[in-house]
Amino acid sequence: IRRRNRARRRTAGFTLMEVLLVLAILVILGSLAVTMFTGVQRSANIKAAQSQISLIESALEQAQFALGVYPSDLSSLRSSTPPAEASGANSQWSGPYLNKDVPPDPWGNPYQYNPNGGRNTDKADVWSLGPDGQDGTADDIGNWPVQ
C-alpha cells in the first residue's frame, strides 16, 4: 500500500525540471516574438516617415508653384496668409497647403527642411533624422534619390 501512495504522489504534479523546461521554452518564444516585432516596428516607422515626407513635398511643390520660390519654412504651408516670399506681383498664394501642422517624424523629432536644396539640385530637401535622431547619418530618410 505504501508503494502505491508514493507512486501516486510522484505523478500528481510537475517536477521542478518540468516547470523550468516550460519556462525556458516560454522565454525563448517571447524573445523571438519581441525580436520580430522590433523589426516590423522599425520598418513601419521608416515607411511612415517616407509617406509624410512625400506629403510635405507635395505641399511644398504647390506652394513653390504659387510663389515662384520655395517657402522659407514648413510652418508657412499651414498659413492662409502669404509668407514674406509672396510679395512679388506674380505671387498666387492660395494657402494653406496643409490642413494640419507638420507632425513630428515617427521618432518624435521635427522634420528638417532646406528650401535651397543640397542633396537635390532641382527642389527643396525635406528629411527626417531617422531612428538615431542625428543629422547627416546613414539612417536619415529624405526626399533625395537613394545612392
Side-chain angles (χ1 to χ4, degrees):
I1 294 176
R2 281 189 173 193
R3 283 188 177 164
R4 286 186 191 167
N5 286 341
R6 274 192 209 157
R8 280 189 202 150
R9 269 190 252 148
R10 282 189 200 150
T11 60
F14 297 107
T15 65
L16 180 60
M17 287 302 282
E18 290 170 332
V19 171
L20 289 176
L21 182 63
V22 169
L23 285 175
I25 291 170
L26 289 175
V27 166
I28 291 169
L29 289 175
S31 66
L32 289 174
V34 167
T35 303
M36 288 180 7
F37 175 75
T38 303
V40 169
Q41 184 65 44
R42 178 179 166 82
S43 175
N45 284 344
I46 290 171
K47 288 180 182 175
Q50 290 169 336
S51 295
Q52 288 175 340
I53 288 169
S54 178
L55 291 173
I56 294 167
E57 185 179 23
S58 294
L60 283 169
E61 294 295 326
Q62 291 176 6
Q64 189 271 343
F65 184 73
L67 292 173
V69 295
Y70 285 102
S72 60
D73 60 41
L74 293 177
S75 63
S76 62
L77 295 173
R78 177 79 171 103
S79 175
S80 57
T81 58
E85 302 90 290
S87 60
N90 294 336
S91 174
Q92 309 241 338
W93 183 262
S94 59
Y97 293 99
L98 290 176
N99 295 331
K100 299 178 183 178
D101 291 333
V102 176
D105 69 12
W107 300 277
N109 300 311
Y111 282 99
Q112 307 299 304
Y113 172 61
N114 181 357
N116 302 319
R119 294 196 183 197
N120 288 309
T121 56
D122 59 341
K123 61 183 176 180
D125 290 345
V126 181
W127 72 97
S128 164
L129 301 177
D132 69 356
Q134 303 288 323
D135 194 12
T137 57
D139 69 345
D140 291 356
I141 301 161
N143 66 335
W144 47 77
V146 178
Q147 299 173 357

